[in-house]
Amino acid sequence: MSQAGTSGGGFQLTEALRDSPFMRACRREQVPYTPVWLMRQAGRYMKEYRDVRARYSFLEMCKQPEVASEVTVYAAHRLGVDAAIIFADILLIIEPMGLDLEFAKGEGPVIHNPVRTAADVDRVREVEDVSALDYVYEAVRITRRELRHDIPLIGFCGAPFTLASYICEGGGSKNYLHTKRLMYTDPGAWHALMSKIARALSQYLNAQVEAGAQAVQIFDSWVGALSPDDYREYVLPHTREVIEGVTPGVPVIHFGTNTATLLELMKEAGGDVIGLDWRVRLDEAWARLGDVAVQGNFDSVALFTTPEVVRRRAKDVLDRAANRPGHIFNLGHGILPETPVENVVALVEAVHELSAR
Ligand code: CP3
């Protein structure tokens, strides 16, 4: 058995990490200021990222632990954020499942052998052990060593629905036609596919934890395409299985976009922290969710303005959270490629300053 693939027992927290504002917020404890980190904080908007990226393809970057670690650590230290997220991608896990993944120039991800029928689902490989992704765990180990000792490192995976949508569509999608057709016409095959994905994911997250991640985030980026009833029937049990399988004590952030009608159900599926996109008012969403921490929800596009506008809009998010324990500041979705770096730095500074208790 792969050492990295075993679950449990590996979760270690130093005092500095345990008492960090990010980890305290995950547990809904008091904090000296609101912790902030940003989805896609290591990305193309940063010149230093583009310089590295000029030498490697995106997948090569992910598969070379030193390189993945370098961009992870650089972004976190440069921005002064309160958590780092390991540089990787939600789609890496589908390679050992037998799917042929490519990041085509200018097109985003392409899967050359998408799943459309029950027979295709049968051909999807069960990931018996997750050692195929050893390069991710090695990147986590190096990053944990290089990162400031009081900054938590977040591991992550895609949620079963979002991964299934890529597997069925063969890439990004607008209407999720192939995904929903399989779901609606052959629920047995759909659930079989989702179960194969879910089983791989808990192992994958726990291997990241064992390698040195302090928390994990589950990205259900495209789940907002579903009605609440379809979410409950076709998705919720599988997401719940992933979350319940995470090593006890490790905070789980459960994130999605376009989820205004799904928030209560996402909470039912699980997570210590629910990620909110910018389409909802943070205070109203939090009131609906109740006893759980929340993460969000600054509009990424507002970073294309001025430091003054950024500060005013950050204050609005913070005012809605009102210094209640259990708020992690983040964007409503990832940073966009052309974002001016100085506004990102201004955002992090504004959050720290405006939220100081
Ligand atoms: O947040 C971070 O800094 C960590 C790294 C990270 C990446 N992808 C790096 C990346 C994380 C957490 C992800 C998650 C991810 N990947 C999601 C969920 C988050 C979200 O945005 O909803 C999704 C849907 C993917 C799939 C994916 N990967 C797409 C659609 C693309 C193409 C996007 C584009 O604009 O080209 C990627 C590629 C990708 N993943 C890049 C980065 C930095 C850009 C690659 C490049 O340098 O060309």
Side-chain angles (χ1 to χ4, degrees), residues 59-349:
L59 274 179
E60 282 169 351
M61 278 182 74
C62 292
K63 291 177 180 182
Q64 301 195 48
E66 275 82 12
V67 177
S69 173
E70 180 192 332
V71 296
T72 304
V73 172
Y74 180 82
H77 291 173
R78 164 84 175 87
L79 299 176
V81 285
D82 300 286
I85 183 160
I86 190 66
F87 186 82
D89 198 86
I90 62 166
L91 295 174
L92 299 174
I93 189 87
I94 75 174
E95 286 191 320
M97 300 179 84
L99 292 144
D100 181 7
L101 172 66
E102 184 194 0
F103 284 87
K105 231 183 159 67
E107 280 184 60
V110 180
I111 291 107
H112 294 289
N113 53 349
V115 165
R116 300 279 160 83
T117 64
D120 293 339
V121 172
D122 285 339
R123 280 192 289 271
V124 170
R125 281 205 299 270
E126 221 20 281
V127 183
E128 298 292 348
D129 88 67
V130 286
S131 59
L133 293 155
D134 273 342
Y135 57 87
V136 175
Y137 321 134
E138 183 58 14
V140 168
R141 274 189 289 272
I142 299 171
T143 302
R144 191 56 278 164
R145 213 159 58 221
E146 304 292 328
L147 194 63
R148 242 177 62 186
H149 76 290
D150 56 347
I151 298 183
L153 176 60
I154 302 167
F156 72 90
C157 69
F161 174 78
T162 290
L163 291 176
S165 81
Y166 280 105
I167 291 172
C168 294
E169 302 296 328
S173 179
K174 199 167 159 201
N175 294 315
Y176 302 92
L177 196 150
H178 297 291
T179 313
K180 289 185 177 181
R181 188 157 53 199
L182 184 67
M183 185 188 276
Y184 298 152
T185 60
D186 196 341
W190 170 260
H191 284 295
L193 175 63
M194 291 287 277
S195 300
K196 282 187 189 180
I197 299 170
R199 280 194 290 271
L201 291 177
S202 316
Q203 290 186 65
Y204 178 46
L205 288 176
N206 288 336
Q208 294 178 61
V209 166
E210 186 129 342
Q214 281 66 53
V216 294
Q217 175 154 328
I218 297 172
F219 286 89
D220 214 348
S221 303
W222 312 137
V223 74
L226 296 175
S227 73
D229 293 338
D230 287 341
Y231 180 85
R232 180 184 286 291
E233 182 168 351
Y234 296 111
V235 174
L236 190 151
H238 303 285
T239 303
R240 175 183 278 152
E241 182 188 331
V242 175
I243 294 172
E244 281 179 351
V246 173
T247 306
V250 177
V252 176
I253 306 169
H254 184 183
F255 167 79
T257 73
N258 252 316
T259 53
T261 59
L262 300 176
L263 289 172
E264 289 84 355
L265 290 169
M266 284 175 66
K267 184 188 176 199
E268 217 177 300
D272 302 277
V273 184
I274 302 294
L276 303 173
D277 83 4
W278 69 95
R279 296 175 182 89
V280 295
R281 294 190 189 96
L282 185 139
D283 49 343
E284 291 176 7
W286 205 352
R288 281 168 53 196
L289 286 164
D291 58 342
V292 71
V294 295
Q295 175 173 281
N297 71 341
F298 185 96
D299 186 343
S300 313
V301 176
L303 288 167
F304 291 80
T305 56
T306 62
E308 294 69 41
V309 174
V310 166
R311 189 181 167 90
R312 176 159 49 78
R313 298 187 63 102
K315 185 170 183 316
D316 178 64
V317 172
L318 289 168
D319 285 348
R320 291 181 187 280
N323 282 0
R324 281 171 289 173
H327 176 220
I328 297 165
F329 196 103
N330 205 314
L331 307 178
H333 203 170
I335 300 189
L336 296 163
E338 317 288 329
T339 305
V341 180
E342 57 279 14
N343 288 348
V344 180
V345 172
L347 175 63
V348 173
E349 284 172 2

